[in-house]
Amino acid sequence: MEELIRCKGVSKKYGRTLGLEDLSLSIASGKIVGILGPNGSGKTTFIKVLSGLLMPEAGEVLIDGKPIGTESKALVSYLPERPYFSDAMRISEVIDFFEEFYRDFQREAAERMLQTLGLDPERKISALSKGNREKVQLILVMSRKAKVYLLDEPMGGVDPAARDFILKTILTNYNEDASVLISTHLISDVENVLDDVIFIKQGRLALYKSVDEIRMEENKSVDALFREVFAC
Amino acid sequence: MGWKFSDDVPLYQQIMDGIKQRIATGDWVPGQKLPSVRELAVDAGVNPNTMQKALAELEREGLLYAKRTAGRFVAEREEIKGRLQEEMMQSYVKEFLGNMESLGYSLEDTVALLQKISDQEERKGE
């Protein structure tokens, strides 16, 4: 295991609103890590900083030793919170797009997963249900042989069966030497697949522990601990 | 095969218990080859590192063994099944007695109750 992600003193403000405040942490390869926090705590900001979509005002971010830039972005496969494919495109066109755009994209893997789902690649994005749209997007993101997967709310607004599919897709497809970061507030759904959890509270790191440690030391699930730490 | 997990015990320990149960009930037989870590992890819906940790612990306990290139197998010693059954029976009985005690039943009360239920069952069978 080697260090894949390193943040030192990262801060990001939106005007006077705080996004992230002096965030320092390190994530090793081969880990599935949950980025957990209530709405507005800074989860998405953190993911966007790692993906290179947002520039922090202060601090340093390294992905596999490289500062955020073209090189780091090539290592990162990012699933945004909201689908961004054009409604007018067909699934096959989105696949073409990914193939052209990302050198590490594995077309066969994507096509195999679509087949499992029984989705015809000639269908238009606009004809897909919300759940299928999210699944298609995840399939594309997980079909890259990336070093870091950043998944922002991969299960937002889909039914429990779709959640199972999404978790299985993640578990089956990530590289063993990659890291997967999953931001979510649906903790009970993901906690069994996580190695470690990071709690973000008002832009600050509130807790960074392994799921086993939490269960052993606190005798409770991550979900239960979350409800305590973030009780209103 | 379904996996159910509780909240307060580390997952790898629950997986170890689940696998022991499979060996004790004969669901997994001595010498049987196990699926890959990844396949087992996906099946259980857990992290591959967690599955790996559980399998490594079971190897240390001698219930599984690994061949360098061929994969991982259920240990071939027949006495293991009996040992695991014994362990499980002990823990079931202890749990049962604990529950009965919390209801205010002493060991003697419980034994008497078991005898009564057993007699009733016998009479039903006649």
Side-chain angles (χ1 to χ4, degrees):
Chain A
M1 267 189 280
E2 45 181 318
E3 183 181 72
L4 262 190
I5 297 173
R6 176 173 198 80
C7 295
K8 229 173 114 185
V10 173
S11 294
K12 168 76 197 165
K13 290 188 186 102
Y14 299 98
R16 291 172 68 184
T17 316
L18 205 64
L20 293 175
E21 171 86 351
D22 194 22
L23 195 72
S24 299
L25 54 83
S26 152
I27 294 172
S29 64
K31 297 270 185 186
I32 304 183
V33 181
I35 311 292
L36 313 177
N39 296 322
S41 56
K43 302 189 297 278
T44 294
T45 304
F46 179 54
I47 297 263
K48 283 188 174 168
V49 164
L50 294 180
S51 71
L53 285 174
L54 285 176
M55 285 297 288
E57 273 103 39
E60 185 187 36
V61 181
L62 297 174
I63 309 267
D64 202 20
K66 297 170 185 71
I68 299 295
T70 320
E71 266 185 282
S72 84
K73 287 180 188 177
L75 304 174
V76 170
S77 192
Y78 167 57
L79 178 81
E81 206 176 350
R82 293 187 190 82
Y84 57 89
F85 301 142
S86 159
D87 270 356
M89 283 173 107
R90 293 176 194 285
I91 299 176
S92 62
E93 290 171 329
V94 184
I95 294 181
D96 293 342
F97 183 80
F98 261 70
E99 194 171 35
E100 204 168 316
F101 216 79
Y102 300 111
R103 208 182 293 171
D104 58 1
F105 183 71
Q106 300 157 290
R107 188 178 187 112
E108 319 75 61
E111 285 174 344
R112 191 168 8 92
M113 284 187 260
L114 284 171
Q115 217 173 9
T116 325
L117 264 183
L119 281 179
D120 177 3
E122 290 317 304
R123 278 174 77 176
K124 285 209 166 146
I125 299 292
S126 59
L128 298 176
S129 67
K130 184 179 162 84
N132 275 340
R133 227 179 269 207
E134 299 213 3
K135 286 183 207 162
V136 167
Q137 189 154 330
L138 182 82
I139 284 174
L140 289 161
V141 167
M142 294 310 297
S143 294
R144 286 185 56 198
K145 241 174 139 39
K147 278 218 148 174
V148 175
Y149 299 90
L150 302 173
L151 312 177
D152 197 358
E153 296 285 357
M155 299 178 298
V158 300
D159 61 73
R163 280 178 206 169
D164 283 350
F165 174 85
I166 285 171
L167 284 179
K168 287 210 152 125
T169 304
I170 297 170
L171 283 177
T172 313
N173 291 289
Y174 82 100
N175 287 327
E176 263 167 57
D177 53 354
S179 296
V180 184
L181 273 62
I182 305 176
S183 120
T184 186
H185 54 262
L186 299 168
I187 299 168
S188 57
D189 285 326
V190 296
E191 73 168 276
N192 286 353
V193 310
L194 302 177
D195 287 294
D196 300 329
V197 291
I198 291 173
F199 281 11
I200 298 186
K201 193 175 188 178
Q202 292 168 341
R204 289 171 180 272
L205 182 68
L207 179 133
Y208 187 174
K209 267 195 176 166
S210 80
V211 173
D212 279 351
E213 270 179 295
I214 291 175
R215 282 173 184 247
M216 265 194 288
E217 288 166 14
E218 318 260 351
N219 281 319
K220 59 178 75 127
S221 65
V222 176
D223 190 59
L225 181 66
F226 183 89
R227 284 164 204 261
E228 260 179 41
V229 172
F230 294 103
C232 306
Chain B
M1 51 187 184
W3 295 80
K4 276 220 173 74
F5 300 115
S6 68
D7 283 349
D8 47 355
V9 179
L11 274 179
Y12 78 93
Q13 288 173 6
Q14 298 187 53
I15 293 169
M16 287 175 68
D17 289 343
I19 291 176
K20 284 179 180 175
Q21 192 168 6
R22 282 166 173 76
I23 297 174
T25 56
D27 196 9
W28 286 10
V29 296
Q32 178 179 335
K33 185 178 191 305
L34 266 57
S36 72
V37 172
R38 182 81 68 126
E39 282 168 325
L40 285 169
V42 171
D43 181 54
V46 302
N47 186 303
N49 294 327
T50 307
M51 185 56 74
Q52 176 64 40
K53 189 168 171 185
L55 297 178
E57 286 292 318
L58 289 168
E59 252 176 58
R60 278 207 327 185
E61 292 187 9
L63 300 178
L64 304 176
Y65 68 97
K67 277 192 219 159
R68 194 162 288 223
T69 51
R72 214 180 242 107
F73 299 83
V74 180
E76 276 166 49
R77 305 199 311 269
E78 278 294 342
E79 75 271 13
I80 282 174
K81 189 173 164 184
R83 200 185 88 204
L84 287 176
Q85 282 175 340
E86 182 69 30
E87 259 177 43
M88 281 172 65
M89 280 188 286
Q90 294 271 359
S91 90
Y92 288 158
V93 170
K94 269 187 201 138
E95 193 190 339
F96 169 68
L97 290 177
N99 287 339
M100 292 306 283
E101 204 185 326
S102 68
L103 288 174
Y105 274 67
S106 70
L107 184 58
E108 291 76 41
D109 295 341
T110 306
V111 171
L113 182 67
L114 283 174
Q115 188 59 54
K116 195 174 143 199
I117 291 173
S118 157
D119 291 346
Q120 278 169 0
E121 290 294 316
E122 241 169 65
R123 240 171 285 142
K124 253 191 247 166
E126 277 165 13

